[in-house]
Amino acid sequence: MTTFIVVLVLILVLGGVVGGWVLHRYWHEERERELGAREALLEERWQTLEQSQRIHLAFWRARNLMRDEAIKAQRDKFGDIT
């Protein structure tokens, strides 16, 4: 009977250790998946921000170029009054 209890306790301990290891691996893989998804989302947002900044910069360059051309045309028309 004592042998049966010892074997039963050993099986329970071994089952707990194996079960804990399996749960740990599962949790670790889930965490890696979540981090990968979060990293992909942040990368997408970063690319969107960079594209937005490029568009914004192109707009201001075009605006400044048009302003400079208008000033040049006005100076050509009326002369430099400064």
Side-chain angles (χ1 to χ4, degrees), residues 48-59:
T48 302
L49 178 63
E50 284 182 331
Q51 182 181 6
S52 175
Q53 288 175 336
R54 283 193 299 271
I55 291 169
H56 183 78
L57 185 59
F59 167 79

Side-chain angles (χ1 to χ4, degrees), residues 20-35:
W21 181 79
V22 168
L23 285 175
H24 172 73
R25 292 298 308 156
Y26 174 76
W27 178 82
H28 186 68
E29 289 172 3
E30 277 295 312
R31 180 116 172 101
E32 284 182 354
R33 252 193 305 274
E34 288 175 5
L35 290 175

Side-chain angles (χ1 to χ4, degrees), residues 35-64:
L35 290 175
R38 187 175 298 146
E39 186 176 317
L41 178 64
L42 289 175
E43 179 66 27
E44 180 182 336
R45 286 181 181 171
W46 180 256
Q47 288 177 357
T48 302
L49 178 63
E50 284 182 331
Q51 182 181 6
S52 175
Q53 288 175 336
R54 283 193 299 271
I55 291 169
H56 183 78
L57 185 59
F59 167 79
W60 282 103
R61 284 181 178 163
R63 178 194 168 273
N64 290 341

